Amino acid sequence: MFQIDSTLISEEILENDFVCNLNACKGACCIEGSSGAPLTEDELPILEQIYTAVTPYLREEGKKAIAEQGVFVKGMDGEWETPLVNGEECAYVVFSDDGIAKCGIEEAYYDGKIDWKKPVSCHLYPVRTRDYTEFTAVNYHKWTICDPACALGEELKVPIYKFVKDALIRKFGTTWYAELEKVAEQHLNK
């Protein structure tokens, strides 16, 4: 672990490679697991505000789940998250013609209907953050469904921190990311 400001960062995000391989995994991170995408308190009013613009992009199952549960829910761990369809995929998931899970929020963003890309936890993946009283932990979340992404990242030689650069800047800022790059260079050139 190393520290930048009030963040504690795992070396794993520097030492491991990763590039999403949607053709291989079909966006499984949006449909696997037992909970929705983690949400921050700041994101809750944003979801409420953009929902009307996002609705045309969603599947009927997703709209129904959101109508029944709300645009966000409190998970079993007491944290906010996106609702699920029948306890399975995220309610905001849409599927491309070739069966790849995509984000309806992100589709609306790319069409210029909203100016918010998607929850930062989704944007950061496979990096997960957790806020504690004194610091924020920044860790690599390993999941077997992402084995193809690890293989592609290794083939292309793209470390995790570079793959999620835009998301890390969105979360922590450009100055923080510049410091991360310096730390990475020192750490990897030992």
Side-chain angles (χ1 to χ4, degrees), residues 13-134:
I13 72 166
L14 308 177
E15 298 168 350
N16 291 281
D17 297 325
F18 194 98
V19 172
C20 280
N21 187 345
L22 290 175
N23 290 324
C25 73
K26 305 292 186 200
C29 60
C30 298
I31 55 178
E32 299 281 329
S34 58
S35 59
L39 298 168
T40 66
E41 290 276 340
D42 295 346
E43 292 175 320
L44 306 182
I46 295 169
L47 275 173
E48 289 176 328
Q49 181 184 2
I50 65 169
Y51 183 67
T52 303
V54 171
T55 303
Y57 292 86
L58 303 180
R59 299 172 304 129
E60 289 306 314
E61 301 92 330
K63 290 188 249 187
K64 183 175 185 252
I66 293 166
E68 292 171 357
Q69 300 170 53
V71 294
F72 49 83
V73 298
K74 193 159 266 200
M76 288 197 281
D77 62 358
E79 300 292 325
W80 294 109
E81 60 189 49
T82 59
L84 299 177
V85 174
N86 300 320
E88 295 178 2
E89 74 268 17
C90 176
Y92 294 98
V93 162
V94 296
F95 292 96
S96 66
D97 292 340
D98 51 357
I100 295 175
K102 296 189 174 193
C103 178
I105 298 168
E106 192 171 26
E107 296 292 304
Y109 170 82
Y110 285 134
D111 280 351
K113 303 296 182 189
I114 58 175
D115 61 2
W116 189 69
K117 188 170 187 167
K118 59 184 167 182
V120 74
S121 67
C122 301
H123 198 189
L124 280 167
Y125 201 78
V127 170
R128 285 283 187 229
T129 63
R130 180 146 195 116
D131 292 326
Y132 295 93
T133 306
E134 301 292 322

Side-chain angles (χ1 to χ4, degrees), residues 2 5 9 16 23 26 37 49 150 157 163 186:
F2 57 91
D5 300 327
I9 303 133
N16 291 281
N23 290 324
K26 305 292 186 200
Q49 181 184 2
C150 295
K157 298 185 182 350
F163 175 71
Q186 292 169 356

